[in-house]
Amino acid sequence: MSRPDPAGTELFDRQAVLEGERILLRPYRPEDYEALYAVASDPLIWEVHPAHDRWQEPVFRAFMADAVEKGGTLVAMDRASGEIVGSSRFQGLDAARSQVEIGWTFLARKCWGGAYNREMKRLMLAQAFTGVQRVVFHIGADNIRSRKACEAIGGRLTDATDVVERGGAMVLHVIYEITRDSFASGPLA
């Protein structure tokens, strides 16, 4: 469902409930915190991520506080078990550029291997493209696992980069994109 923003530009609902075969995505609620942290407390989830210490509770708590402040956070639930298995976000909605960022995604290791992430991103991309023309993904340059996952869903590496401060160090991020047109004809269509 889309709705006009104050400037009259059509936007999409960043807090929609999205249902797939394996995954149900729904808006984050404060009572989800413990179950999400139970997933996120696995250090292997974060080992190649620029925020490799996010498995630590104080770091994860700050991560989720940022998620709540900025909105657009969805909880991923395994449809078969009803169990929370991860999270992702819509952020940086830019009506003037007709784009949004999808990211901050993590999944329980039992959901690794492509099918869950691919379905989650397909659902989120379909939702985003009801209101924007372009979705971007900012990925740590050294995070090969996430880069390959983004390429597997049709992400195209752009020439743009971003540098983010992380724990006193500057971390290079590369930017991938999927456009509405490429999504309609790409591997997730």
Side-chain angles (χ1 to χ4, degrees):
M1 169 183 234
S2 62
R3 65 188 185 286
D5 76 359
T9 306
E10 286 295 312
L11 301 177
F12 67 96
D13 183 359
R14 296 185 311 143
Q15 297 286 260
V17 174
L18 308 173
E19 292 188 56
E21 180 181 325
R22 293 175 185 84
I23 292 276
L24 172 100
L25 295 168
R26 65 159 173 77
Y28 171 79
R29 300 184 298 238
E31 58 268 23
D32 297 328
Y33 180 85
E34 292 303 323
L36 270 179
Y37 180 64
V39 173
S41 65
D42 179 352
L44 292 178
I45 290 175
W46 309 103
E47 74 177 339
V48 297
H49 191 278
H52 59 273
D53 59 349
R54 198 169 279 155
W55 62 272
Q56 297 172 12
E57 202 279 334
V59 178
F60 186 74
R61 185 168 297 283
F63 171 75
M64 289 310 299
D66 179 67
V68 169
E69 178 184 326
K70 293 180 178 167
T73 300
L74 300 174
V75 171
M77 300 179 71
D78 183 301
R79 289 204 53 198
S81 69
E83 174 184 18
I84 290 177
V85 294
S87 177
S88 193
R89 299 186 207 177
F90 291 113
Q91 257 183 230
L93 183 57
D94 184 338
R97 296 176 66 192
S98 192
Q99 81 175 29
V100 71
E101 182 178 352
I102 292 177
W104 297 269
T105 304
F106 67 94
L107 283 168
R109 282 191 289 147
K110 69 181 183 178
C111 298
W112 288 5
Y116 282 83
N117 184 58
R118 189 170 32 257
E119 184 173 285
M120 180 188 312
K121 295 303 187 333
R122 180 185 55 76
L123 292 167
M124 292 180 76
L125 286 161
Q127 179 67 10
F129 289 132
T130 65
V132 297
Q133 294 289 324
R134 180 174 182 248
V135 172
V136 295
F137 303 82
H138 292 239
I139 301 172
D142 295 332
N143 188 345
I144 301 304
R145 183 185 305 146
S146 291
R147 291 180 67 169
K148 285 182 178 181
C150 190
E151 291 166 3
I153 63 166
R156 183 186 67 79
L157 182 63
T158 69
D159 293 336
T161 58
D162 190 16
V163 179
V164 177
E165 188 275 328
R166 174 75 188 134
M170 302 310 280
V171 178
L172 178 66
H173 285 68
V174 293
I175 300 172
Y176 284 80
E177 72 174 1
I178 297 177
T179 64
R180 184 183 288 170
D181 290 342
S182 68
F183 176 71
S185 63
L188 295 177

